[in-house]
Amino acid sequence: EIRWRYFLFIFTASFMGSWFIFGLLWYSVAKNNGDLTEQNPPENHTPCVSNVHGLTSAFLYSLETQTTIGYGYRALTETCGTAVTLLITQSIVGAVINCFMCGVFLCKISLPKKRAKTISFSHTAVITKQGNKLCLLLRVANLRKTLLIGSQIYGKLLRTSVTPDGEIIILDQVNIDFTVDAGKDNLFFICPLTLYHVIDKSSPFFEMSVDTMHMQDFELVVFLDGTAESTSSSCQVRTSYIPREIQWGYTFLPIISRTKEGKYGVDFSNFNKTTPVTTPHCAYCFYNVDEHLPGEKRGRDNLGFEVIEINDAADMTKM
């Protein structure tokens, strides 16, 4: 995932460096055999490598050997066993460098560029009623036309907890399941989706309320895994919510509408907007006391109360 300029620098340096290092080795082989021009070899002298008389020609022979160019001007002779061993070594090292760099290059060009940034989560999560259940809701949208195949979403609640034995567990991870109407697996990102987590007795949010939510110390991390349709490359997107980013008693504004022509449209201006709704102030109240709703006053008749009418005006005190 490094930048292209760094990759191209490493690509060039790896080949140039190997050519130069092996060029020095070929130069040392020629020098040990007395093949260099400044060593004045005799006329009947047989060199290890023909026409290698200095450092420049040794570098050129190293380049021609590793790239299998083979101009035919410089060639290895059977005189030196060291030169034969060096030729085999350079051929193997060159093949390894070629395979490695080609593999990295193919991975680089096939990697979906900034694919994770095209998946958008809502800035806040909300807690409201969803049918006959109290749920935590959040939104997610795919901003590209290409789909994510086999998408799965799940969450982790990170918090510090204390065991019944008094042991303190820092960053305790609790699984949070998210679902949509079609299920929690293989999400179909043809339009923005609203994901919800049911707050029941098994949920870590069951013991929280609208008054104690912002006093808690936790972080809800949401993961989205999928495979890019165009490149078949896996992709993971993450976001997180802290207590002040979870709105209790709110719901998202609708963003999908249908025109008279039967076409569907998405209004992304309402993607992060919420509106207050009537919601129980705690999960326990929602599942146990139906009339315990914030902002709503209800009275009950007291069967033991007796109404008495007083009509005697003479008992009134005069000021």
Side-chain angles (χ1 to χ4, degrees):
E1 297 181 359
I2 61 175
R3 297 182 179 273
W4 274 105
R5 56 177 175 266
Y6 300 130
F7 172 75
L8 293 177
F9 173 78
I10 296 173
F11 182 87
T12 304
S14 62
F15 285 102
M16 291 292 296
S18 64
W19 296 338
F20 182 74
I21 291 173
F22 280 101
L24 293 177
L25 295 177
W26 286 115
Y27 178 80
S28 64
V29 169
K31 184 176 181 180
N32 292 334
N33 194 48
D35 301 339
L36 302 181
T37 303
E38 60 268 18
Q39 293 177 321
N40 297 320
E43 295 182 359
N44 59 350
H45 176 72
T46 303
C48 291
V49 181
S50 301
N51 300 313
V52 172
H53 307 296
L55 182 60
T56 302
S57 59
F59 174 79
L60 293 176
Y61 179 72
S62 173
L63 188 153
E64 295 170 11
T65 300
Q66 189 165 327
T67 56
T68 65
I69 295 177
Y71 291 119
Y73 182 70
R74 300 176 182 87
L76 182 68
T77 63
E78 67 276 6
T79 304
C80 303
T82 304
V84 175
T85 303
L86 183 60
L87 177 66
I88 296 174
T89 303
Q90 185 174 6
S91 300
I92 295 175
V93 173
V96 172
I97 294 177
N98 288 335
C99 293
F100 180 77
M101 287 300 167
C102 289
V104 174
F105 183 77
L106 291 176
C107 292
K108 182 68 176 175
I109 62 176
S110 63
L111 185 68
K113 185 178 180 180
K114 299 180 180 179
R115 185 64 176 94
K117 294 185 178 180
T118 61
I119 304 297
S120 178
F121 285 89
S122 57
H123 295 162
T124 59
V126 298
I127 294 179
T128 184
K129 291 190 298 182
Q130 186 80 0
N132 296 324
K133 300 177 182 179
L134 188 65
C135 300
L136 181 143
L137 280 68
L138 58 91
R139 271 180 174 166
V140 60
N142 178 22
L143 304 181
R144 278 191 181 179
K145 294 182 179 180
T146 56
L147 300 178
L148 285 178
I149 303 172
S151 301
Q152 297 181 350
I153 190 165
Y154 57 95
K156 297 285 186 181
L157 187 71
L158 306 181
R159 63 180 181 180
T160 300
S161 61
V162 181
T163 63
D165 298 332
E167 180 184 359
I168 300 177
I169 302 178
I170 300 177
L171 292 180
D172 184 22
Q173 299 184 17
V174 182
N175 292 326
I176 303 294
D177 293 328
F178 286 94
T179 59
V180 294
D181 294 336
K184 64 179 181 180
D185 297 330
N186 298 327
L187 305 180
F188 187 42
F189 271 114
I190 194 173
C191 62
L193 299 177
T194 300
L195 309 172
Y196 60 89
H197 162 71
V198 179
I199 302 178
D200 52 16
K201 293 184 178 180
S202 62
S203 172
F205 296 98
F206 186 79
E207 301 296 334
M208 303 180 190
S209 66
V210 65
D211 301 321
T212 62
M213 168 68 73
H214 298 88
M215 301 178 185
Q216 303 292 326
D217 184 16
F218 66 85
E219 184 173 3
L220 175 61
V221 184
V222 183
F223 302 85
L224 174 63
D225 297 335
T227 303
E229 183 182 29
S230 56
T231 61
S232 298
S233 301
S234 59
C235 175
Q236 185 182 82
V237 190
R238 297 182 297 272
T239 190
S240 65
Y241 301 94
I242 56 179
R244 68 170 178 265
E245 295 174 337
I246 300 178
Q247 298 178 314
W248 195 301
Y250 285 77
T251 189
F252 291 110
L253 292 177
I255 59 175
I256 301 178
S257 60
R258 186 176 181 180
T259 62
K260 296 181 180 179
E261 294 79 13
K263 297 182 179 180
Y264 292 92
V266 179
D267 183 10
F268 278 99
S269 62
N270 292 334
F271 184 77
N272 294 301
K273 293 182 179 180
T274 59
T275 182
V277 292
T278 302
T279 307
H281 80 282
C282 66
Y284 179 83
C285 299
F286 176 77
Y287 290 108
N288 294 276
V289 184
D290 295 336
E291 58 277 313
H292 199 161
L293 299 176
E296 185 173 334
K297 298 182 179 179
R298 295 186 182 183
R300 290 186 177 182
D301 293 333
N302 189 348
L303 301 179
F305 183 78
E306 182 179 357
V307 179
I308 302 176
E309 296 182 2
I310 302 176
N311 298 322
D312 191 357
D315 295 338
M316 297 178 62
T317 303
K318 296 181 180 181
M319 297 298 292

Coordinates of all heavy atoms in Angstrom, one line a residue, residues 119-158:
I119 N -17.2 3.7 1.2 CA -18.2 3.2 2.1 C -18.4 4.2 3.2 O -17.4 4.5 3.9 CB -17.8 1.8 2.7 CG1 -17.6 0.8 1.5 CG2 -18.9 1.3 3.6 CD1 -18.7 0.5 0.6
S120 N -19.6 4.7 3.4 CA -19.8 5.8 4.3 C -20.8 5.3 5.4 O -21.8 4.7 5.1 CB -20.4 7.0 3.6 OG -20.7 8.0 4.5
F121 N -20.4 5.6 6.6 CA -21.2 5.3 7.8 C -21.8 6.6 8.3 O -21.3 7.7 8.1 CB -20.5 4.6 8.9 CG -20.1 3.2 8.7 CD1 -19.0 2.8 8.1 CD2 -21.0 2.2 9.1 CE1 -18.7 1.5 7.8 CE2 -20.7 0.9 8.9 CZ -19.5 0.5 8.3
S122 N -23.0 6.5 8.9 CA -23.6 7.7 9.5 C -22.7 8.2 10.7 O -22.0 7.5 11.3 CB -25.0 7.4 10.1 OG -24.9 6.3 11.0
H123 N -22.7 9.6 10.9 CA -21.8 10.2 11.9 C -22.3 9.8 13.3 O -21.4 9.7 14.2 CB -21.9 11.7 11.7 CG -21.3 12.2 10.4 ND1 -21.5 13.4 9.9 CD2 -20.5 11.6 9.5 CE1 -20.9 13.6 8.8 NE2 -20.2 12.5 8.5
T124 N -23.5 9.5 13.5 CA -24.0 9.1 14.8 C -24.9 7.9 14.7 O -25.4 7.5 13.6 CB -24.9 10.3 15.4 OG1 -26.0 10.5 14.5 CG2 -24.0 11.5 15.6
A125 N -25.1 7.2 15.8 CA -26.0 6.1 15.9 C -27.2 6.6 16.7 O -27.0 7.5 17.5 CB -25.4 4.9 16.5
V126 N -28.3 5.9 16.6 CA -29.5 6.4 17.3 C -30.1 5.1 18.0 O -29.9 4.0 17.6 CB -30.6 7.0 16.4 CG1 -30.0 8.3 15.8 CG2 -31.0 6.1 15.3
I127 N -30.9 5.4 19.1 CA -31.6 4.4 19.8 C -33.1 4.7 19.8 O -33.4 5.8 20.3 CB -31.1 4.2 21.3 CG1 -29.6 3.7 21.3 CG2 -32.0 3.2 22.1 CD1 -29.0 3.5 22.6
T128 N -33.9 3.9 19.2 CA -35.3 4.2 19.1 C -36.1 2.8 19.0 O -35.5 1.8 19.0 CB -35.6 5.0 17.9 OG1 -37.0 5.4 17.8 CG2 -35.2 4.3 16.6
K129 N -37.4 2.9 18.9 CA -38.2 1.8 18.8 C -38.2 1.3 17.3 O -38.4 2.2 16.4 CB -39.6 2.0 19.2 CG -39.8 2.2 20.7 CD -41.2 2.3 21.2 CE -42.0 3.4 20.5 NZ -43.4 3.5 21.0
Q130 N -38.1 0.0 17.1 CA -38.1 -0.6 15.8 C -39.2 -1.7 15.8 O -38.8 -2.8 16.3 CB -36.8 -1.1 15.3 CG -36.7 -1.6 13.9 CD -36.6 -0.5 12.9 OE1 -36.6 0.7 13.2 NE2 -36.6 -0.8 11.6
G131 N -40.4 -1.4 15.5 CA -41.5 -2.3 15.7 C -41.8 -2.5 17.1 O -42.1 -1.5 17.8
N132 N -41.7 -3.7 17.6 CA -42.0 -3.9 19.0 C -40.7 -4.1 19.8 O -40.7 -4.8 20.9 CB -42.9 -5.2 19.2 CG -44.2 -5.0 18.6 OD1 -44.8 -3.9 18.7 ND2 -44.8 -6.0 18.0
K133 N -39.6 -3.6 19.3 CA -38.3 -3.8 19.9 C -37.6 -2.5 20.1 O -37.8 -1.5 19.3 CB -37.4 -4.8 19.1 CG -38.0 -6.2 19.0 CD -37.1 -7.1 18.1 CE -37.7 -8.4 17.9 NZ -36.9 -9.3 17.1
L134 N -36.7 -2.4 21.1 CA -35.9 -1.2 21.2 C -34.5 -1.5 20.5 O -33.9 -2.6 20.8 CB -35.6 -0.9 22.7 CG -34.9 0.4 23.0 CD1 -35.8 1.6 22.6 CD2 -34.6 0.5 24.5
C135 N -34.1 -0.7 19.6 CA -32.9 -1.0 18.8 C -32.0 0.2 18.7 O -32.4 1.3 18.9 CB -33.4 -1.4 17.4 SG -34.5 -2.8 17.3
L136 N -30.7 -0.2 18.5 CA -29.7 0.8 18.1 C -29.5 0.8 16.6 O -29.3 -0.3 16.0 CB -28.4 0.5 18.9 CG -27.2 1.4 18.6 CD1 -26.4 1.6 19.9 CD2 -26.3 0.9 17.5
L137 N -29.7 1.9 16.0 CA -29.6 2.0 14.5 C -28.4 2.8 14.0 O -28.0 3.7 14.7 CB -30.9 2.6 14.0 CG -32.2 1.8 13.9 CD1 -32.7 1.4 15.2 CD2 -33.3 2.5 13.1
L138 N -27.9 2.4 12.9 CA -26.9 3.2 12.2 C -27.1 3.0 10.7 O -27.7 2.0 10.3 CB -25.5 2.9 12.6 CG -25.0 1.4 12.5 CD1 -24.3 1.2 11.2 CD2 -24.1 1.1 13.6
R139 N -26.5 3.9 9.9 CA -26.7 3.8 8.5 C -25.3 3.6 7.8 O -24.3 4.0 8.3 CB -27.3 5.1 7.9 CG -28.8 5.1 7.9 CD -29.3 6.4 7.3 NE -30.7 6.4 7.2 CZ -31.5 7.5 7.0 NH1 -31.0 8.7 6.9 NH2 -32.8 7.3 6.8
V140 N -25.4 2.9 6.6 CA -24.2 2.7 5.8 C -24.6 2.7 4.4 O -25.7 2.3 4.0 CB -23.6 1.3 6.2 CG1 -24.5 0.2 5.9 CG2 -22.3 1.1 5.4
A141 N -23.7 3.3 3.6 CA -24.0 3.5 2.1 C -22.8 3.2 1.3 O -21.6 3.4 1.7 CB -24.5 4.9 1.9
N142 N -23.0 2.6 0.1 CA -21.9 2.4 -0.9 C -22.0 3.5 -1.9 O -23.0 3.6 -2.6 CB -22.1 1.0 -1.5 CG -21.0 0.7 -2.6 OD1 -20.0 1.3 -2.6 ND2 -21.3 -0.2 -3.5
L143 N -21.0 4.3 -2.0 CA -21.0 5.4 -2.9 C -20.5 5.1 -4.3 O -20.5 6.0 -5.1 CB -20.1 6.6 -2.3 CG -20.4 7.0 -0.9 CD1 -19.5 8.1 -0.4 CD2 -21.9 7.4 -0.8
R144 N -20.2 3.9 -4.6 CA -19.8 3.5 -6.0 C -20.9 2.7 -6.6 O -21.7 2.1 -5.9 CB -18.5 2.7 -5.9 CG -17.2 3.6 -5.9 CD -16.0 2.7 -6.1 NE -14.8 3.5 -6.0 CZ -13.6 3.0 -6.2 NH1 -13.4 1.7 -6.5 NH2 -12.5 3.7 -6.1
K145 N -20.9 2.6 -7.9 CA -21.8 1.8 -8.6 C -21.5 0.3 -8.5 O -22.4 -0.5 -8.6 CB -21.9 2.2 -10.1 CG -22.4 3.7 -10.3 CD -22.5 4.0 -11.8 CE -23.0 5.4 -12.1 NZ -23.1 5.7 -13.5
T146 N -20.2 0.0 -8.4 CA -19.9 -1.4 -8.3 C -20.2 -1.9 -6.9 O -20.1 -1.2 -5.9 CB -18.4 -1.6 -8.5 OG1 -17.6 -0.8 -7.6 CG2 -18.0 -1.3 -9.9
L147 N -20.7 -3.1 -6.8 CA -21.2 -3.7 -5.5 C -20.0 -4.4 -4.7 O -19.0 -4.7 -5.3 CB -22.3 -4.7 -5.7 CG -23.5 -4.1 -6.5 CD1 -24.5 -5.2 -6.7 CD2 -24.2 -3.0 -5.7
L148 N -20.3 -4.6 -3.5 CA -19.5 -5.4 -2.6 C -20.1 -6.8 -2.5 O -21.3 -6.8 -2.1 CB -19.3 -4.8 -1.2 CG -18.3 -3.6 -1.2 CD1 -18.3 -3.0 0.3 CD2 -16.9 -4.0 -1.6
I149 N -19.4 -7.8 -2.8 CA -20.0 -9.2 -2.8 C -19.7 -9.8 -1.5 O -18.6 -9.7 -0.9 CB -19.3 -10.0 -3.9 CG1 -19.5 -9.3 -5.3 CG2 -19.9 -11.4 -4.0 CD1 -18.8 -10.0 -6.4
G150 N -20.7 -10.5 -1.0 CA -20.6 -11.2 0.3 C -20.3 -10.3 1.5 O -19.5 -10.7 2.3
S151 N -21.0 -9.2 1.5 CA -20.7 -8.2 2.6 C -21.3 -8.7 3.9 O -22.4 -9.3 4.0 CB -21.4 -6.9 2.2 OG -20.8 -6.4 1.0
Q152 N -20.6 -8.6 5.0 CA -21.0 -8.9 6.3 C -20.6 -7.8 7.3 O -19.6 -7.2 7.1 CB -20.3 -10.2 6.8 CG -20.7 -11.4 6.0 CD -20.0 -12.7 6.5 OE1 -19.1 -12.6 7.3 NE2 -20.4 -13.8 6.0
I153 N -21.5 -7.5 8.2 CA -21.3 -6.5 9.2 C -21.4 -7.0 10.6 O -22.3 -7.8 10.9 CB -22.2 -5.3 8.9 CG1 -21.8 -4.1 9.7 CG2 -23.7 -5.6 9.2 CD1 -22.4 -2.8 9.3
Y154 N -20.5 -6.5 11.5 CA -20.6 -7.0 12.9 C -19.9 -5.9 13.7 O -19.3 -4.9 13.2 CB -19.9 -8.3 13.1 CG -18.5 -8.3 12.6 CD1 -17.4 -8.1 13.5 CD2 -18.2 -8.6 11.3 CE1 -16.1 -8.2 13.0 CE2 -16.8 -8.6 10.8 CZ -15.8 -8.4 11.7 OH -14.5 -8.4 11.3
G155 N -20.1 -6.0 15.0 CA -19.5 -4.9 15.9 C -18.9 -5.5 17.1 O -19.1 -6.7 17.5
K156 N -18.1 -4.7 17.7 CA -17.4 -5.0 19.0 C -17.5 -3.9 19.9 O -17.3 -2.7 19.5 CB -15.9 -5.3 18.8 CG -15.6 -6.5 17.9 CD -15.8 -7.8 18.6 CE -15.4 -9.0 17.8 NZ -15.6 -10.3 18.5
L157 N -18.0 -4.1 21.1 CA -18.1 -3.1 22.2 C -16.9 -3.2 23.1 O -16.7 -4.3 23.7 CB -19.4 -3.3 23.0 CG -19.6 -2.1 24.0 CD1 -20.0 -0.9 23.2 CD2 -20.7 -2.5 24.9
L158 N -16.0 -2.2 23.1 CA -14.8 -2.2 23.9 C -15.0 -1.4 25.1 O -15.4 -0.2 25.1 CB -13.7 -1.6 23.1 CG -13.4 -2.2 21.7 CD1 -12.2 -1.5 21.0 CD2 -13.1 -3.7 21.8

